[in-house]
Amino acid sequence: MNFTRWSARLPGTQRRAAARTEQAVSTAPRGDGSVPAARAERPTGTGEPAPPDGAVGLSGADGIDELPVREVLDRIPALVALVHGTDHRIAYVNDAYVAAFGPRPVGEPARVALPELAELGLLSLLDQVLRSSKPRTVKSRKAPSGRSYTFTCTPVTLPLGGSAAGPEEGGGVLVFAADVTDHAEAAERLRTSERAQRETAVTLQKSLLPQELEQPDDLRIAATYQPGGTEAAVGGDWYDVITLGGGRTALVIGDVMGRGVRAAAVMGQLRTAVRAYARLDLPPHEVLQLLDGLAAEIDASQIATCVYAVHDPNEGSLVYASAGHLPILVRDEHGTIHRAEEPTGPPLGTGGWLHTSGSVPLGPGSTAVLYTDGLVERRSEDIDEGVAALERALAGATGTPQVVCDRLIRALGVTADHDDDVAVLVLQHPARAGSDAELFRNAALELLGGVEAAPRARAFATGVLASWRFSPELHDLGVLAASELVANSLQHGTPPMRLRLRRTDRRLIIEVTDGDDHLPRRRRAEPADEAGRGIAIVATIASNWGSRRTPGGGKAVWCEFALPK
């Protein structure tokens, strides 16, 4: 057997041989102007002691060609087997191989004598190596004994019968197996730890998301969250729906930059803060301004994108502010897709910037989609192409909001092994007709003049509520609430003033607007006070009440009564 034909293919052999050659060359004596010898000669008659029995003799002047091959292979800790011929008959196995799998008869086919190779799926690999004359490696295969090995199969040429045989008879394969059990077990422990971390992150993420979405009177809403396929793909995506009162609804979607438990924890804090700030009923850009400062305080190294939008059925639009987030998409009742303007401010946590609000129409029959970048971002293409693909998918996605969510997820190719988490929020403003439309009514009155505006408002409320066929008790409570709100506006507000009555299938809403931006508050009136009881009366008889500043200046004060189911 010619060692030089295949020894160079053993893992690490080239480096060790080169190191020995370099050492031999560097220690060889030189004469002035002489060229170093390419190979050191073996000294004779030096009187050096012979190597002990069973040891390979190797002095600094030994060449690698003179090494006894079998003696080397018998002593290396790796498993070595040599097979030849098309049926891979055993030519040799070393001591390490015998210790691992037991004695193997020389001359028998591998399919019979080396069952462990069949169980590991290496017989077909031997065929490939023999046909292609190219080495192949398979990593970390677990043997029946429980140990794991990395196998390298290298083609060799074997002289048979004392002379070199042809390729079919003399072709062989050297099987070299390195024990990697420790590495495999460490890798498995790491994978187990990553799975546990991912499960923790997913559990935390889902527990911090809304368990059940609020369903406003005027909108139909559904949302979907799908974590990524790996621990690194579980991030801080979140969404929320917040009923503001007076028929208005806030919708939120955001994405914390980063992955894992930390991003999910930051997401939970931001979501809680959004719900708290939403109760102040501020314009969208002011809510994001507050969130921006809070995000920097939570973690200066974390930034997040977010969209906060408010739907007012009286306005027929979606007023929003975007902190570096992707644009809202709206499909109107005619099927035309509208894309909201670019972000109205930088991501949260950057600090020092002023956000602004924008508006996009959302009339009856419209569908809007809020989403995170995991839905549209791909490594191989620009994100604008992903948004364009989402527009095309939305144009043909019909059905309930949940059906639209599922269709968009499928159309954009999001699967269980997706490399990023995805959040999608779909809202529809249904167009109502027939008996359903009778349950959603609006009526408004401009309050002109002085003290005579109060009796006009009471007469207007009396007539409208009677036409809507409310019970006498609810009718009287509605007229009383309208009278008190109008009186409060006449005393403390400034023109222009308006009274608006609105009913849905669930509640009656009464709202008065005026030009003064001083918000009323409920207080305890003393027995001698002539004022201060109006808001207290409204808060007592109504299911809910509140006030907010309007975008153009001024305020709106509202109350609502729950209708019998």
Side-chain angles (χ1 to χ4, degrees), residues 14-278:
Q14 299 96 326
R15 294 192 295 274
R16 292 193 292 270
R20 295 191 186 105
T21 303
E22 183 179 351
Q23 180 180 7
V25 172
S26 64
T27 57
R30 298 188 184 185
D32 293 340
S34 64
V35 178
R39 176 182 299 173
E41 298 295 334
R42 183 182 183 89
T44 58
T46 61
E48 295 180 358
D53 292 343
V56 178
L58 182 61
S59 68
D62 285 331
I64 197 170
D65 284 343
E66 285 74 27
L67 289 176
V69 176
R70 176 159 186 151
E71 192 170 355
V72 172
L73 295 180
D74 282 342
R75 282 162 172 74
I76 63 175
L79 281 59
V80 178
L82 188 64
V83 298
H84 67 89
T86 55
D87 54 355
H88 309 301
R89 295 182 177 274
I90 301 175
Y92 166 79
V93 291
N94 72 344
D95 293 344
Y97 197 102
V98 172
F101 296 113
R104 294 293 181 261
V106 176
E108 292 294 325
R111 188 174 300 279
V112 176
L114 300 176
E116 60 276 359
L117 297 187
E119 294 174 357
L120 294 171
L122 294 181
L123 294 183
S124 60
L125 187 68
L126 296 179
D127 294 334
Q128 295 177 19
V129 172
L130 198 61
R131 287 195 303 267
S132 65
S133 297
K134 294 181 180 180
R136 296 285 189 272
T137 298
V138 292
K139 296 183 179 180
S140 192
R141 291 288 178 91
K142 194 168 186 177
S145 63
R147 309 292 294 179
S148 296
Y149 299 92
T150 290
F151 289 87
T152 299
C153 299
T154 305
V156 297
T157 301
L158 301 176
L160 299 179
S163 60
E168 182 175 353
E169 294 183 6
V173 179
L174 179 72
V175 180
F176 184 91
D179 192 329
V180 294
T181 303
D182 292 343
H183 297 283
E185 291 177 350
E188 181 59 30
R189 288 194 298 269
L190 179 60
R191 286 191 293 269
T192 301
S193 175
E194 289 178 346
R195 285 194 296 268
Q197 291 183 21
R198 180 180 183 275
E199 290 173 1
T200 301
V202 170
T203 301
L204 176 61
Q205 177 90 352
K206 290 186 175 181
S207 67
L208 293 174
L209 290 173
Q211 302 305 303
E212 185 176 351
L213 287 179
E214 297 181 22
Q215 292 294 333
D217 298 355
D218 297 274
L219 299 177
R220 298 294 176 265
I221 301 177
T224 295
Y225 171 76
Q226 181 167 319
T230 64
E231 188 276 332
V234 180
D237 290 14
W238 93 92
Y239 55 83
D240 209 348
V241 178
I242 308 167
T243 301
L244 301 178
R248 302 166 72 250
T249 306
L251 307 120
V252 193
I253 196 163
D255 185 2
V256 176
M257 303 302 176
R259 296 291 182 264
V261 174
R262 185 176 185 84
V266 173
M267 176 275 289
Q269 296 178 75
L270 290 178
R271 177 176 173 254
T272 302
V274 170
R275 294 194 70 87
Y277 293 146

Side-chain angles (χ1 to χ4, degrees), residues 499-517:
L499 169 64
R500 174 179 285 146
L501 304 178
R502 186 166 187 273
R503 72 157 294 169
T504 69
D505 58 342
R506 304 178 196 174
R507 72 199 77 230
L508 166 66
I509 302 168
I510 302 171
E511 183 180 80
V512 176
T513 59
D514 63 56
D516 184 78
D517 59 1

Side-chain angles (χ1 to χ4, degrees), residues 190-537:
L190 179 60
R191 286 191 293 269
T192 301
S193 175
E194 289 178 346
R195 285 194 296 268
Q197 291 183 21
R198 180 180 183 275
E199 290 173 1
T200 301
V202 170
T203 301
L204 176 61
Q205 177 90 352
K206 290 186 175 181
S207 67
L208 293 174
L209 290 173
Q211 302 305 303
E212 185 176 351
L213 287 179
E214 297 181 22
Q215 292 294 333
D217 298 355
D218 297 274
L219 299 177
R220 298 294 176 265
I221 301 177
T224 295
Y225 171 76
Q226 181 167 319
T230 64
E231 188 276 332
V234 180
D237 290 14
W238 93 92
Y239 55 83
D240 209 348
V241 178
I242 308 167
T243 301
L244 301 178
R248 302 166 72 250
T249 306
L251 307 120
V252 193
I253 196 163
D255 185 2
V256 176
M257 303 302 176
R259 296 291 182 264
V261 174
R262 185 176 185 84
V266 173
M267 176 275 289
Q269 296 178 75
L270 290 178
R271 177 176 173 254
T272 302
V274 170
R275 294 194 70 87
Y277 293 146
R279 298 305 176 191
L280 301 176
D281 212 344
L282 299 172
H285 65 275
E286 292 188 22
V287 172
L288 291 191
Q289 206 70 47
L290 293 172
L291 277 179
D292 184 37
L294 180 65
E297 293 178 6
I298 292 174
D299 190 340
S301 64
Q302 291 273 19
I303 62 173
T305 63
C306 179
V307 168
Y308 181 87
V310 175
H311 175 255
D312 189 338
N314 296 316
E315 304 296 334
S317 64
L318 202 62
V319 180
Y320 69 93
S322 173
H325 204 78
L326 293 166
I328 301 172
L329 301 182
V330 178
R331 183 186 67 205
D332 62 20
E333 65 274 19
H334 306 295
T336 303
I337 303 297
H338 302 274
R339 183 188 297 192
E341 296 296 327
E342 293 300 314
T344 58
L348 304 175
T350 55
W353 296 86
L354 290 176
H355 293 79
T356 58
S357 292
S359 177
V360 60
L362 189 72
S366 298
T367 300
V369 178
L370 291 75
Y371 52 96
T372 57
D373 58 1
L375 182 65
V376 296
E377 189 173 27
R378 302 292 181 270
R379 298 181 186 274
S380 59
E381 61 185 31
D382 188 81
I383 194 169
D384 287 337
E385 297 179 10
V387 176
L390 179 59
E391 289 181 345
R392 294 191 294 271
L394 178 60
T398 58
T400 65
Q402 188 60 59
V403 170
V404 173
C405 275
D406 297 339
R407 289 182 175 178
L408 295 181
I409 290 287
R410 289 196 302 269
L412 273 294
V414 177
T415 59
D417 58 351
H418 196 58
D419 61 357
D420 195 4
D421 52 347
V422 176
V424 182
L425 182 67
V426 173
L427 58 140
Q428 294 178 344
H429 187 187
R432 297 180 173 88
S435 59
D436 192 29
E438 291 296 321
L439 301 177
F440 292 81
R441 306 289 292 273
N442 283 278
L445 173 68
E446 298 293 336
L447 299 176
L448 304 175
V451 294
E452 67 274 10
R456 290 182 60 244
R458 282 194 296 270
F460 176 77
T462 299
V464 169
L465 297 180
S467 68
W468 289 351
R469 299 178 181 177
F470 288 136
S471 65
E473 181 183 1
L474 181 58
H475 175 277
D476 294 342
L477 291 176
V479 172
L480 177 58
S483 177
E484 293 296 338
L485 291 181
V486 169
N488 183 78
S489 181
L490 290 173
Q491 183 173 357
H492 302 288
T494 60
M497 302 178 185
R498 170 184 287 185
L499 169 64
R500 174 179 285 146
L501 304 178
R502 186 166 187 273
R503 72 157 294 169
T504 69
D505 58 342
R506 304 178 196 174
R507 72 199 77 230
L508 166 66
I509 302 168
I510 302 171
E511 183 180 80
V512 176
T513 59
D514 63 56
D516 184 78
D517 59 1
H518 178 73
L519 299 180
R521 60 186 178 88
R522 185 179 180 182
R523 64 186 180 88
R524 181 185 296 276
E526 298 298 331
D529 292 343
E530 297 182 358
R533 295 179 175 84
I535 295 299
I537 292 174

